[in-house]
Amino acid sequence: MPDELRLYLKERFGVLGPVSPGRFEAELAKRVGSPAKREPLLKAWRAYLSGGGKEAVRSFYREILKVPKGEALVYGMHLPFLEFYAKEVPSRLEGRVLEVGAFTGALVGYLKGKRPELSFVALDGVEEVVEVGRKRVPEVAWHAAWAEEAELPPFDTLLLLSVFPEGFVDQELESRLEAPAFWKRFDFFARLPLFARLLKPGGLLVYGHGPFLGKSPEGVEEGLRHLGFYGVERVGEGEYFLVLARRPELLEEAWLQEEVPLELEKPTQVPVLAQVEDLAEVRALLEAGRYAEVLARLAEGVEGEAAFLRGRALFALSRYAEAEEALRRALSEEAEDLRAMVLVELGEYERARPRLEALAGRGGRYRIYLGRVYLSLGRYADALRQFVESGLPEAEGYVREALERITERMRRFAREGEWAEVSRRAEFVEDLSPSLLTREMLRLGLRAALIQGLFARAERYARRLADLDEAQGFLGLALVALRVRSPLEVRPLDDLKSVEPYLTEALARAEISEALLLLGMLREREGRYLEALRLLERAAERGEGEVAGLAYHHLAQVKRALRRPLKEVLGDHKRAHALRAYPAPYLFSLAQEALKGGEEVLARELLSRARDAGLSEVAEADLLGLLALLERLEGPWAAFNLLYQALGRTPRPPLELLALGYRLSRAFRESPEASEVRGQYLAALYGEGRAGEVEALLLEELRAHPQALEVLFDLAEHHEAQGNWGKAAEYWQKALEVVLYREKDLELSREVLRNLLFLRPHDESLSLYLEELRAVARGLKALGESPEALPETKEELLQEGIPQFHGEHLLVVGGHTQLRSRLVPLLEARGLKVDWFDADTAGVGKEALRRIQNRLEKAHGLMIVSSYVGHDFSEPVRLEAERLGVPVHVIPGRARGTTGFLRALKAFAPELFKKALKGVQ
């Protein structure tokens, strides 16, 4: 009950814990830093404490509402009594209930929640308070009036809780009064009938004195009987009591009209002590609790033992500032011990701490006060230890407060994922006393122990919770028995049947999503799909995060087994993936299933999720299936792009993949990627000896795009490799016409013409092309450009750009036999020694590689022709050349016949010269 009330007060009214009335000014200073701003409220507070009547009450409550969280300050001073009322009052209420002096409605709102079938009315004389109360507690009816003046129909239950003494209190008043003194002090017989008129005959009056001085349960009981109330009884004892009574038809007139028969005698004035010899009498007064007389006997400026006795009296009356001054004058160890307690009440925690730490070994109240110091400093674990070890009943409230603070820290660490800190605090409290662990601590400790895999500790907490009839305890026992930290770790072979009793016990108390999920998984394994469906639907609805995701996953499997529509099954899979991500292969299989079932939109969405998760894993498992799905749903470019990346990671891609890549690339044949894949495909066809297919493919490309230069170059080189010089020259000539007349590329035209001259050196018609190229160059020069000068004769064009060598040694790998046979004599005539291993004559195997590497040791440079008629040994030879420090030049892309090779040789010549010079040195 106290925990429930405290949580209610914290959430709705911001009450964090009890506040001693003696600490009011210190707590106010925390909320309002400026003394000038505090002064109006402090003035109202002092008037309130001096019995200033209704105006003082009205002024105090108006001012307190202006302070940030001022309500919490008022309720904090009444908190222990509110807890007592919350425990004893609800079960006794009946009919229509009126609470007098409800303030902003904390108690009446709580009672309404406990007894919703009853009708509640809140009454208060401060209009500002009523306005706030209507907003805070709208579920009860509110009236603004003083109870003595209110015009309301009578009620079945009248609550006078902590309200009757207001306006009549006095800080000099004794804690306990005899009955006559109580009647006189609070004008009992004149005021109570004004309250009682709001109660029906036979209705229940509930009286609680609250935290005010001047308590007299006997005086209340006897006074009610004098007025004719019957069924008078008392509940509780000491500071915390209620007096219950039922109203008669008519109140006793004699007690209404006459004066109180027992007149109070005015206390005789006792002269102030002039000497310390009479201190024994003062001690007796002090022990009897007659503190006002003690103060009357001891002057304000006394010192020594008299100051100590005066300090004790002031301390008992909660006049802490005066008590601290008196104890300071006592100049004794005993006074300093008590002064440390006074400093705590004044909020001077750091000043009090050293003394109290030294006194803590004595136990008792010293430990309580030291605990309060630690509590204010945020050392909640140390505070709790002091409160528990004090062994005093009055420490119970502070124990609850320390536990609440520790629980708040555990909640914060749980939100931040610091489960080791949560577990450490739960273990500390358990070591102090297992009975101190609250339900929330046990729940947090259980969760932390499970997450850390501390199953023995988790089982201990789970059993405690189960003994408290908590559903989380039974779920914890199930997880401990399975040796898993959460339902997400349950394996297919785990025996869920053995923990079924724990799960059913948990669900009998609360529908916990984890328990619903585990029981649903068990029913799914047993083939009881309809039961599993109901359980998993509730688990998905109530669960959060990955737990809900796993529930949706099993729900989809159950629906599949029940032959529900495919769209419904895949929809649950989508929800599962959103909460607990599936691997890409599983999403891919779901997309395939959706497409096969005619749900193309859903398949497209699942495929996009698989792409987000990364398709590389899917590509390794089922590349062809993935490509087919991509082509169908996202078009050829998406499929080709993925295939292109896969080909880049594959050293020797199979012919089937290259053929697929070539087919997909036809929609964007002009792109560099498509050209590269086509070259790889052609190289693979050459490697398989399928030259006829190469020619057919190129001819088909040419028919589709008659002016495609790359296709013309490929066909020309293909026929060169086959030795068909006429056909090769025909295609070179077509390429020349496209380059010259369509592309207007003078530099490339010179290269293509040079290829024609190598094939037909005696063809006089080629001179016309040379003349036309010179005419184009002259025209460009007239337009202000600076084209490279063309040679005058065909012979000069053939040897143009070839440097003069001086016996350098070049190793060439790749190309075809015809290219080698035409170029080697020309290069040797220019002074270059050439070892050329072409694709047709080099052979294969380790012996051929050994011969190439032996020549490499003496070479000044290595050139690799990387066209599709390149050499299989190019990569190992390149690596060996880099190891030996031999310069390497790879002809990128297509060589474009002889002139492409010569252009590359011209760029590579400086590296050959450098290597040769190093060798000479």
Side-chain angles (χ1 to χ4, degrees):
M1 184 71 71
D3 292 339
E4 181 182 357
L5 175 67
R6 287 202 177 199
L7 183 60
Y8 163 80
L9 292 174
K10 180 180 179 181
E11 291 178 350
R12 192 176 289 196
F13 296 90
V15 181
L16 298 179
V19 176
S20 169
R23 292 272 307 137
F24 176 81
E25 296 189 19
E27 292 294 331
L28 179 62
K30 294 179 182 178
R31 290 164 170 79
V32 183
S34 170
K37 292 182 180 179
R38 291 199 303 268
E39 185 57 32
L41 178 55
L42 290 176
K43 187 175 180 180
W45 168 246
R46 296 185 186 107
Y48 177 84
L49 292 181
S50 61
K54 293 179 183 178
E55 286 305 317
V57 174
R58 178 185 288 112
S59 176
F60 172 67
Y61 285 133
R62 280 177 177 171
E63 293 296 330
I64 199 70
L65 289 178
K66 299 176 184 178
V67 175
K69 296 185 179 179
E71 290 174 90
L73 200 56
V74 173
Y75 287 126
M77 291 190 288
H78 289 75
L79 184 57
F81 293 90
L82 289 174
E83 291 178 344
F84 175 67
Y85 299 153
K87 178 181 177 183
E88 300 293 342
V89 171
S91 60
R92 295 177 164 84
L93 298 176
E94 53 190 47
R96 294 177 64 247
V97 182
L98 173 67
E99 184 189 4
V100 175
F103 193 45
T104 56
L107 181 60
V108 72
Y110 179 81
L111 296 175
K112 177 67 177 177
K114 300 300 288 185
R115 298 292 301 275
E117 74 278 7
L118 302 181
S119 173
F120 287 85
V121 176
L123 180 66
D124 201 283
V126 184
E127 293 182 359
E128 291 83 354
V129 165
V130 173
E131 290 178 10
V132 175
R134 286 196 178 104
K135 298 175 184 177
R136 293 280 190 274
V137 190
E139 58 266 30
V140 304
W142 284 84
H143 290 279
W146 297 105
E148 298 92 325
E149 305 164 0
E151 296 297 332
L152 293 173
F155 291 82
D156 299 295
T157 306
L158 179 65
L159 302 179
L160 297 181
L161 301 175
S162 305
V163 67
F164 188 80
E166 280 196 313
F168 289 80
V169 294
D170 189 343
Q171 57 185 346
E172 301 291 342
L173 197 61
E174 295 183 8
S175 175
R176 289 277 182 161
L177 293 177
E178 298 295 332
F182 173 78
W183 299 333
K184 184 75 172 180
R185 164 45 107 178
F186 294 105
D187 204 3
F188 183 81
F189 292 107
R191 294 176 60 220
L192 190 72
L194 298 176
F195 289 90
R197 66 189 178 81
L198 299 174
L199 188 62
K200 291 180 179 179
L204 179 65
L205 171 68
V206 182
Y207 177 95
H209 199 82
F212 304 104
L213 300 175
K215 290 182 174 60
S216 179
E218 299 83 2
V220 177
E221 292 175 344
E222 188 177 344
L224 290 174
R225 290 193 182 97
H226 284 316
L227 290 172
F229 280 80
Y230 61 93
V232 179
E233 62 172 319
R234 190 195 314 176
V235 176
E237 57 184 14
E239 293 289 311
Y240 305 97
F241 68 89
L242 291 175
V243 177
L244 310 175
R246 294 195 176 272
R247 185 187 187 281
E249 288 288 341
L250 295 174
L251 300 181
E252 292 292 337
E253 293 293 331
W255 288 88
L256 289 176
Q257 297 174 359
E258 297 179 5
E259 291 291 330
V260 179
L262 297 175
E263 290 291 343
L264 289 173
E265 295 182 4
K266 294 183 180 180
T268 57
Q269 295 294 327
V270 181
V272 176
L273 289 182
Q275 302 293 332
V276 184
E277 289 81 2
D278 299 327
L279 290 181
E281 184 179 349
V282 175
R283 290 193 202 95
L285 293 173
L286 189 63
E287 295 300 328
R290 296 163 67 177
Y291 305 120
E293 295 183 37
V294 172
L295 296 178
R297 298 288 298 275
L298 296 173
E300 186 174 344
V302 294
E303 296 184 357
E305 186 176 359
F308 172 59
L309 296 176
R310 178 177 172 80
R312 284 180 59 186
L314 290 168
F315 178 73
L317 293 172
S318 300
R319 293 163 62 178
Y320 301 118
E322 299 173 64
E324 196 266 338
E325 178 63 25
L327 292 170
R328 188 176 60 80
R329 289 198 177 110
L331 301 176
S332 68
E333 289 296 322
E334 191 177 11
E336 288 300 314
D337 296 345
L338 182 58
R339 185 173 169 231
M341 298 183 187
V342 173
L343 290 173
V344 173
E345 297 291 355
L346 291 172
E348 302 286 343
Y349 300 112
E350 279 298 337
R351 289 177 60 193
R353 183 174 59 82
R355 186 82 182 185
L356 289 173
E357 286 177 342
L359 294 170
R362 300 184 188 179
R365 297 186 70 195
Y366 294 117
R367 285 196 179 275
I368 291 180
Y369 275 90
L370 180 58
R372 288 177 61 184
V373 170
Y374 288 150
L375 201 62
S376 69
L377 297 176
R379 296 168 56 178
Y380 302 134
D382 293 335
L384 179 63
R385 183 186 297 278
Q386 298 300 325
F387 295 143
V388 171
E389 292 180 356
S390 71
L392 296 177
E394 61 191 272
E396 182 180 348
Y398 295 113
V399 168
R400 288 200 303 270
E401 184 175 357
L403 290 174
E404 186 174 343
R405 296 289 183 272
I406 293 173
T407 305
E408 286 177 0
R409 285 199 173 174
M410 291 172 69
R411 283 193 218 108
R412 177 166 59 84
F413 283 124
R415 286 194 301 270
E416 296 171 356
E418 298 286 345
W419 295 106
E421 294 296 327
V422 175
S423 185
R424 189 168 67 84
R425 280 158 177 75
E427 187 178 11
F428 168 78
V429 175
E430 185 183 21
D431 289 344
L432 276 181
S433 175
S435 62
L436 291 175
L437 285 170
T438 64
R439 291 173 186 256
E440 187 172 4
M441 280 184 170
L442 287 169
R443 286 194 292 267
L444 290 170
L446 170 61
R447 190 177 173 193
L450 286 171
I451 287 175
Q452 296 176 95
L454 306 173
F455 294 113
R457 185 184 300 176
E459 183 177 9
R460 195 163 64 245
Y461 294 155
R463 291 199 180 281
R464 286 282 307 281
L465 284 169
D467 292 341
L468 294 171
D469 211 33
E470 285 276 341
Q472 289 286 352
F474 293 101
L475 174 62
L477 289 173
L479 295 175
V480 168
L482 293 171
R483 285 297 187 268
V484 295
R485 293 179 292 184
S486 75
L488 305 175
E489 296 183 355
V490 174
R491 299 168 291 275
L493 298 179
D494 285 340
D495 183 16
L496 291 175
K497 190 68 177 176
S498 62
V499 299
E500 182 180 3
Y502 292 136
L503 299 176
T504 54
E505 286 290 338
L507 293 177
R509 288 157 177 79
E511 288 199 344
I512 306 174
S513 57
E514 290 89 344
L516 289 166
L517 173 59
L518 289 173
L519 196 57
M521 292 167 62
L522 175 60
R523 296 293 179 255
E524 180 189 355
R525 294 180 186 182
E526 293 173 343
R528 297 159 63 176
Y529 295 120
L530 290 176
E531 294 180 44
L533 181 69
R534 289 192 294 272
L535 290 166
L536 292 171
E537 283 178 341
R538 284 150 57 196
E541 179 184 351
R542 294 176 176 275
E544 295 179 357
E546 293 194 10
V547 171
L550 186 59
Y552 276 119
H553 171 71
H554 286 282
L555 185 59
Q557 291 182 332
V558 169
K559 288 182 177 180
R560 192 191 304 276
L562 292 172
R563 301 185 183 279
R564 292 289 181 89
L566 179 63
K567 190 172 184 179
E568 189 176 342
V569 173
L570 295 177
D572 283 334
H573 276 303
K574 271 178 52 183
R575 297 183 186 93
H577 172 67
L579 296 166
R580 188 169 187 256
Y582 284 144
Y586 192 77
L587 288 167
F588 166 66
S589 65
L590 291 177
Q592 283 184 313
E593 183 183 4
L595 188 60
K596 186 177 179 181
E599 298 289 342
E600 185 170 333
V601 175
L602 199 53
R604 197 184 308 278
E605 188 174 350
L606 289 167
L607 181 60
S608 69
R609 300 286 190 277
R611 184 184 295 281
D612 294 340
L615 291 176
S616 58
E617 191 176 349
V618 182
E620 292 176 5
D622 185 9
L623 180 59
L624 292 177
L626 178 58
L627 291 172
L629 190 65
L630 281 171
E631 184 180 8
R632 170 77 180 277
L633 296 177
E634 298 184 5
W637 170 250
F640 173 77
N641 189 37
L642 179 68
L643 178 57
Y644 179 75
Q645 295 175 15
L647 292 174
R649 297 190 298 268
T650 307
R652 287 181 170 276
L655 188 61
E656 294 79 7
L657 284 182
L658 292 171
L660 177 60
Y662 173 74
R663 180 181 66 78
L664 292 171
S665 69
R666 291 310 82 202
F668 31 87
R669 63 179 74 238
E670 300 298 329
S671 66
E673 295 87 353
S675 178
E676 183 180 346
V677 170
R678 185 187 64 180
Q680 289 182 339
Y681 180 43
L682 294 176
L685 289 175
Y686 270 114
E688 295 286 335
R690 296 156 66 171
E693 292 184 34
V694 173
E695 185 174 356
L697 185 149
L698 292 172
L699 289 174
E700 183 180 350
E701 287 276 318
L702 189 63
R703 282 193 295 272
H705 298 276
Q707 295 183 334
L709 277 176
E710 291 295 330
V711 177
L712 290 170
F713 292 155
D714 289 342
L715 278 168
E717 288 194 351
H718 169 73
H719 287 294
E720 281 188 21
Q722 302 299 317
N724 298 328
W725 312 114
K727 279 286 187 182
E730 179 183 341
Y731 285 114
W732 282 123
Q733 187 168 354
K734 289 182 180 179
L736 177 61
E737 292 173 356
V738 172
V739 172
L740 182 60
Y741 300 120
R742 184 171 181 269
E743 300 294 333
K744 306 285 192 299
D745 190 335
L746 185 61
E747 188 64 30
L748 184 56
S749 299
R750 293 167 70 166
E751 290 190 12
V752 177
L753 179 57
R754 191 179 292 120
N755 286 332
L756 273 171
L757 289 171
F758 268 108
L759 291 175
R760 297 191 304 200
H762 305 296
D763 188 349
E764 293 298 330
S765 64
L766 297 180
S767 301
L768 299 175
Y769 285 110
L770 183 58
E771 288 296 330
E772 194 158 353
L773 286 176
R774 281 200 295 269
V776 172
R778 287 194 296 271
L780 291 173
K781 190 173 183 180
L783 292 173
E785 296 189 19
S786 302
E788 188 176 347
L790 283 161
E792 294 295 328
T793 64
K794 296 184 291 183
E795 291 74 12
E796 291 177 357
L797 181 61
L798 280 172
Q799 298 187 15
E800 181 188 30
I802 303 177
Q804 182 65 45
F805 293 96
H806 309 86
E808 288 82 7
H809 187 183
L810 176 66
L811 182 63
V812 183
V813 176
H816 51 77
T817 302
Q818 286 72 24
L819 184 67
R820 176 183 63 81
S821 63
R822 291 206 311 276
L823 287 177
V824 168
L826 179 64
L827 296 176
E828 290 182 344
R830 302 291 290 182
L832 181 64
K833 184 179 180 182
V834 183
D835 283 324
W836 195 314
F837 296 89
D838 62 68
D840 303 319
T841 60
V844 294
K846 293 182 179 179
E847 181 61 27
L849 180 61
R850 187 184 61 78
R851 286 193 296 110
I852 295 173
Q853 290 179 341
N854 286 341
R855 300 290 181 88
L856 186 62
E857 294 178 357
K858 301 177 182 179
H860 297 128
L862 168 68
M863 291 187 72
I864 299 173
V865 182
S866 63
S867 65
Y868 55 74
V869 288
H871 201 280
D872 291 340
F873 293 122
S874 60
E875 185 62 18
V877 171
R878 183 185 66 81
L879 294 174
E880 181 65 15
E882 291 180 355
R883 189 185 70 80
L884 295 173
V886 177
V888 179
H889 185 86
V890 179
I891 302 178
R894 311 312 308 277
R896 289 207 295 270
T898 56
T899 56
F901 181 86
L902 292 175
R903 185 181 66 253
L905 177 62
K906 180 180 178 181
F908 188 50
E911 297 295 327
L912 292 173
F913 295 147
K914 288 180 184 178
K915 181 64 177 176
L917 287 173
K918 288 181 180 178
V920 170
Q921 292 174 356

